[in-house]
Amino acid sequence: MLTVCETKHSGGKPRTRRVAGVERRETPASHPRGRRLAPTVHRRPTLSAAIITLDEEENLPELLEQLGWVDEIVVVDGGSTDATVALARRYTDRVSVERFGDYAQQRNRAIANCRGDWVLFLDADERPGPGFAEEVRRRMEAPKQYAAFRVPIRSSIFGRRFRHSGTQDDRPVRLFERGRARWSGAVRS
């Protein structure tokens, strides 16, 4: 479901070993005790789902119902005049209202509010497909080869899938390590 983005993760290979379910990191030879294995606790990477909204009371609840598998939901609302903010607060306490300037600015505000190791951006009218949660977790927990992933979007209107609109092959970057990506310039919704 996810397509690997061309953005490669920087840095060398981590020097870790897994021994009986415990991750051990090698201490550099320059350490006073020489090379030794120091036990560390292996933890699963955390995921924040980030959503920017503006008058999305019709779409938002269905999406939020489907996000029980993420560690945190962050909603940045652009000043809705409907019940969007109240609905979002039923699912998460990580809701802020910021005057909508442009998409890049709103998305960057959402990133700033996220606490997870990884960020998944979703629009209120999008719905994760079958197997999406497992694929996202698998990509996050794999050896750090990439810092971002493209997610194929299958758009439809009136129940029919777009086939010739120009957006039928849309694969925007939507999943990335927090701190490794920001939006700039003009951004499509």
Side-chain angles (χ1 to χ4, degrees):
M1 300 205 64
L2 296 178
T3 305
V4 177
C5 176
E6 296 301 317
T7 307
K8 286 265 191 177
H9 187 282
S10 68
K13 272 188 159 177
R15 294 176 52 185
T16 60
R17 290 189 217 167
R18 295 206 26 114
V19 179
V22 176
E23 182 180 293
R24 296 178 178 262
R25 295 187 189 272
E26 289 186 14
T27 305
S30 60
H31 189 276
R33 295 185 187 173
R35 283 178 60 127
R36 66 180 175 91
L37 295 177
T40 60
V41 177
H42 177 72
R43 77 172 177 84
R44 158 181 87 78
T46 56
L47 176 64
S48 297
I51 306 161
I52 61 171
T53 59
L54 183 62
D55 295 325
E56 292 284 359
E57 74 177 321
E58 296 295 320
N59 292 315
L60 190 61
E62 186 179 345
L63 173 62
L64 295 175
E65 284 288 331
Q66 294 182 17
L67 294 179
W69 55 277
V70 303
D71 300 297
E72 170 186 62
I73 298 172
V74 173
V75 177
V76 175
D77 186 78
S80 293
T81 57
D82 63 5
T84 300
V85 173
L87 288 168
R89 287 192 172 128
R90 289 184 193 167
Y91 294 88
T92 180
D93 60 348
R94 310 274 303 149
V95 178
S96 65
V97 178
E98 307 279 345
R99 189 178 69 75
F100 191 90
D102 60 44
Y103 284 103
Q105 187 178 47
Q106 285 300 89
R107 287 186 174 186
N108 289 332
R109 285 177 178 152
I111 293 170
N113 291 338
C114 290
R115 296 181 289 201
D117 300 318
W118 287 78
V119 177
L120 172 66
F121 259 97
L122 294 168
D123 291 342
D125 62 348
E126 294 175 338
R127 303 294 175 264
F132 183 73
E134 293 80 21
E135 180 72 8
V136 167
R137 285 284 179 206
R138 189 174 68 77
R139 297 292 177 148
M140 287 172 32
E141 293 171 3
K144 303 244 176 165
Q145 186 177 13
Y146 297 96
F149 295 92
R150 293 183 180 277
V151 177
I153 306 295
R154 292 188 178 92
S155 299
S156 62
I157 187 166
F158 303 118
R160 299 185 74 190
R161 201 165 151 221
F162 285 4
R163 297 197 188 277
H164 308 289
S165 66
T167 62
Q168 69 272 8
D169 296 320
D170 200 15
R171 287 175 155 58
V173 172
R174 292 290 188 89
L175 175 65
F176 54 89
E177 281 187 282
R178 185 172 53 92
R180 300 292 305 262
R182 289 187 56 77
W183 268 270
S184 63
V187 177
R188 292 185 308 145
S189 61

